[in-house]
Amino acid sequence: EDQVTQSPEALRLQEGESSSLNCSYTVSGLRGLFWYRQDPGKGPEFLFTLYSAGEEKEKERLKATLTKKESFLHITAPKPEDSATYLCAVRPLSGGYQKVTFGIGTKLQVIP
Amino acid sequence: SQTIHQWPATLVQPVGSPLSLECTVEGTSNPNLYWYRQAAGRGLQLLFYSVGIGQISSEVPQNLSASRPQDRQFILSSKKLLLSDSGFYLCAWSVSPRGGVGNQPQHFGDGTRLSIL
């Protein structure tokens, strides 16, 4: 069974204090790994797709990286508007394209 | 650009009442469509997905059903709601995979918060 574990569950940072969120996954072959941002009471907003180990993607203060067992979302010099829950999801090679397993997320709070 | 609309944003229903949540997508054709439920402390749970008009696959046995009467319209229904149906319901779409090139992300609507009394 595919599994996604995100850590920490919650993270509180001072504005400008860089950190990383972790997504560990277990799949029988990875078709793709996705990062989303979810604001309270809203649907997840797509951020990145990573396909293979060693790949990196960047967007503003966020950088996502991928290894064979985990992915990191690095947040550089965060601002209060980066506060949100960040979700990780994996799509395995086996099964249809609808088979996406989501983690519970990391709730990030950035304090001014 | 593509957009997805879900309504209503919030809904309070008594136990045993019917349910109809609607989702529409604009700016794309023949999308894959999905219904998820998100419970506190749990990951998103896929309820239904559809690859075309009238084609519905159910992922978990439950009190709910889904229909796709038009290409870009997806409806979640129930004849009689249970207390356990409370939750945050999300509709999503993705580009339909063609020729093996289908590793596209899912894009979500803003959800419906459903409370059963």
Side-chain angles (χ1 to χ4, degrees), chain B residues 74-96:
Chain B
F74 207 22
I75 297 171
L76 184 68
S77 304
S78 174
K79 293 182 179 179
K80 286 186 177 182
L81 285 168
L82 306 173
L83 283 173
S84 58
D85 292 324
S86 293
F88 190 48
Y89 289 84
L90 290 158
C91 180
W93 73 275
S94 66
V95 173
S96 178

Side-chain angles (χ1 to χ4, degrees), chain A residues 38-53:
Chain A
Q38 186 173 22
D39 292 306
K42 300 292 185 180
E45 175 189 351
F46 169 70
L47 294 173
F48 304 110
T49 304
L50 300 168
Y51 297 101
S52 58

Side-chain angles (χ1 to χ4, degrees), chain B residues 53-70:
Chain B
I53 296 174
Q55 300 179 63
I56 309 294
S57 296
S58 174
E59 288 296 295
V60 294
Q62 59 204 317
N63 184 42
L64 302 169
S65 62
S67 62
R68 185 172 177 173
Q70 301 180 44

Side-chain angles (χ1 to χ4, degrees), chain B:
Chain B
S1 64
Q2 301 87 6
T3 56
I4 179 168
H5 304 280
Q6 265 189 264
W7 67 93
T10 59
L11 188 61
V12 180
Q13 293 283 93
V15 170
S17 64
L19 173 74
S20 181
L21 302 181
E22 191 164 339
C23 170
T24 59
V25 180
E26 296 178 356
T28 187
S29 59
N30 194 33
N32 283 1
L33 297 173
Y34 312 84
W35 278 112
Y36 284 89
R37 179 165 53 207
Q38 186 176 34
R42 301 181 64 180
L44 275 72
Q45 180 187 33
L46 179 63
L47 303 176
F48 301 94
Y49 70 94
S50 172
V51 299
I53 296 174
Q55 300 179 63
I56 309 294
S57 296
S58 174
E59 288 296 295
V60 294
Q62 59 204 317
N63 184 42
L64 302 169
S65 62
S67 62
R68 185 172 177 173
Q70 301 180 44
D71 181 45
R72 290 168 291 173
Q73 184 185 28
F74 207 22
I75 297 171
L76 184 68
S77 304
S78 174
K79 293 182 179 179
K80 286 186 177 182
L81 285 168
L82 306 173
L83 283 173
S84 58
D85 292 324
S86 293
F88 190 48
Y89 289 84
L90 290 158
C91 180
W93 73 275
S94 66
V95 173
S96 178
R98 292 191 180 89
V101 182
N103 204 6
Q104 301 294 323
Q106 297 173 2
H107 302 275
F108 289 83
D110 277 341
T112 295
R113 175 72 59 187
L114 176 63
S115 299
I116 311 299
L117 303 179

